[in-house]
Amino acid sequence: PEPPHLAHAPPSREDFPALDRFSPWESGGGSLIMFGLDAQNRRLVQIDMASGTLTKVADLPFESGWSGFDYNPSDGFLYAAVGGASRSNIFYKIDPRTGNTLLVGSVVSAGGDGSFESIGFRNDGSLLAYDEHYDMFPGHLLSADLVNGTSQILGSSGTPSCLGGDYDAQRNTFWVSDEWNGKLYQLNPTNGSVVWTSPSTWYTGNGQGDMFDVRSEEHTSELQTRQYL
């Protein structure tokens, strides 16, 4: 697979106090708007990708640290998966037009350390999740069922510290970003194996450990990354 164009908003510690997860949203007519979860202030924000500035959309009823976050093309809503007790991940559905948030339910993780660091929806609304492990052990790619609250391990990438990821419908692959070595991987969505590794590393200049999340924009073949500053 060919590597995508890589883009990121100019980083700013002031503009991004704790913007640890983000997702594009299709507003209609092929137009994409980028949203993020501001964990420090518990709010949904819209991101201007040209300037890197934020606009508050709404306050959120949950803390979003270490959460999966993605756009579901089957219903047009944003979803956040917040790790909880006993390997349970609490899912919230967010209307990006109003910020209205609805508690959907919970999904128990069958892999990793029990928390979905990243989630990715297919076009039909089916859900993939990546659950990283602690202490540098490799995590797992899983299929997750929001109706039944269960998940199933599909396989492992064999790499540690994959804290961000998203499903790419154009390539039928699950992207993950390795914050430890700055690499990007494409995973087979069937068994979680690595099918492509970036030849370069992606850092803001802070060195290893500063890449946190990655989003796939299928309609533009562009990959968005978020560096943790």
Side-chain angles (χ1 to χ4, degrees):
E2 293 295 324
H5 171 67
L6 190 74
H8 62 81
S12 165
R13 293 179 185 274
E14 182 176 355
D15 285 345
F16 296 103
L19 189 62
D20 59 0
R21 289 292 182 259
F22 62 104
S23 175
W25 173 70
E26 187 174 2
S27 61
S31 177
L32 293 176
I33 300 174
M34 189 66 74
F35 288 90
L37 297 179
D38 179 353
Q40 178 174 308
N41 297 297
R42 297 177 62 168
R43 61 183 181 176
L44 176 71
V45 297
Q46 183 175 325
I47 307 169
D48 186 322
M49 295 304 294
S51 66
T53 57
L54 307 180
T55 300
K56 175 184 173 181
V57 178
D59 293 315
L60 296 173
F62 60 86
E63 294 184 3
S64 59
W66 303 97
S67 305
F69 184 49
D70 197 31
Y71 162 64
N72 185 349
S74 70
D75 64 11
F77 288 90
L78 297 168
Y79 283 76
V82 182
S86 303
R87 308 183 65 85
S88 178
N89 294 268
I90 312 302
F91 276 78
Y92 295 88
K93 182 167 68 173
I94 307 169
D95 188 335
R97 292 154 292 222
T98 64
N100 289 339
T101 303
L102 176 67
L103 175 63
V104 177
S106 64
V107 176
V108 175
S109 176
D113 61 8
S115 176
F116 294 160
E117 279 79 13
S118 57
I119 59 174
F121 284 95
R122 295 187 178 98
N123 290 337
D124 62 1
S126 59
L127 178 63
L128 296 173
Y130 197 89
D131 190 339
E132 187 47 72
H133 214 291
Y134 52 83
D135 292 339
M136 299 299 291
F137 289 102
H140 298 98
L141 182 69
L142 307 99
S143 61
D145 190 326
L146 281 173
V147 176
N148 297 323
T150 58
S151 64
Q152 179 180 357
I153 294 176
L154 300 174
S156 175
S157 66
T159 59
S161 297
C162 291
L163 300 182
D166 194 14
Y167 177 71
D168 184 341
Q170 282 191 347
R171 299 176 180 84
N172 187 30
T173 190
F174 195 89
W175 289 93
V176 290
S177 57
D178 192 328
E179 63 96 22
W180 182 254
N181 64 16
K183 294 284 188 177
L184 299 176
Y185 306 108
Q186 291 181 30
L187 305 184
N188 184 317
T190 302
N191 59 25
S193 63
V194 176
V195 297
W196 178 83
T197 302
S198 62
S200 303
T201 57
W202 308 101
Y203 299 131
T204 61
N206 292 334
Q208 293 177 337
D210 68 355
M211 186 165 66
F212 202 37
D213 198 10
V214 59
R215 292 289 105 185
S216 172
E217 295 189 7
E218 295 101 14
H219 300 283
T220 61
S221 297
E222 183 171 280
L223 195 70
Q224 304 285 348
T225 65
R226 167 69 183 124
Q227 282 75 27
Y228 181 66
L229 305 179

